[in-house]
Amino acid sequence: SFPTRRSSDLVMDSNNQKPSQEQYVNSREIMSYLSIRPRTLENLIKQGMPHIQITRQRRFKLSEVDNWIKKRMAERLNDI
């Protein structure tokens, strides 16, 4: 089952102010999740894909990546 929990961050839910766990995945897991290759991931990161860098390792919040992709898709549709 995907995704595997690697680390988590407590964030406050804006509606009820209860902490919720936000999931992080590593580079290999985000590539699998998006069905992309390493070069594509590097290009997306250069284009602004949200991530955090811990020493030489990158971590991605699935919700942030999903929102970033949805925003880019909507912008591209508006350009048509």
Side-chain angles (χ1 to χ4, degrees):
S1 69
F2 187 82
T4 304
R5 284 186 186 235
R6 293 292 177 170
S7 58
S8 63
D9 182 35
L10 288 177
V11 291
M12 298 304 285
D13 180 59
S14 60
N15 296 330
N16 57 15
Q17 296 300 312
K18 292 181 183 175
S20 62
Q21 285 199 343
E22 186 70 33
Q23 212 163 355
Y24 282 91
V25 295
N26 63 27
S27 293
R28 180 182 48 80
E29 292 166 325
I30 199 72
M31 287 187 292
S32 175
Y33 179 72
L34 298 174
S35 299
I36 60 174
R37 295 176 180 251
R39 179 170 277 170
T40 304
L41 178 61
E42 291 300 320
N43 288 337
L44 291 173
I45 289 169
K46 288 178 185 175
Q47 294 170 26
M49 176 186 273
H51 68 283
I52 59 170
Q53 183 111 13
I54 304 170
T55 61
R56 292 175 33 191
Q57 300 177 359
R58 292 183 178 127
R59 295 285 186 261
F60 303 84
K61 274 189 192 177
L62 292 179
S63 62
E64 289 181 1
V65 171
D66 286 339
N67 289 336
W68 182 77
I69 290 171
K70 287 176 189 175
K71 181 181 173 189
R72 286 174 48 97
M73 289 176 67
E75 289 171 355
R76 288 182 181 204
L77 288 174
N78 288 336
D79 289 343
I80 295 177

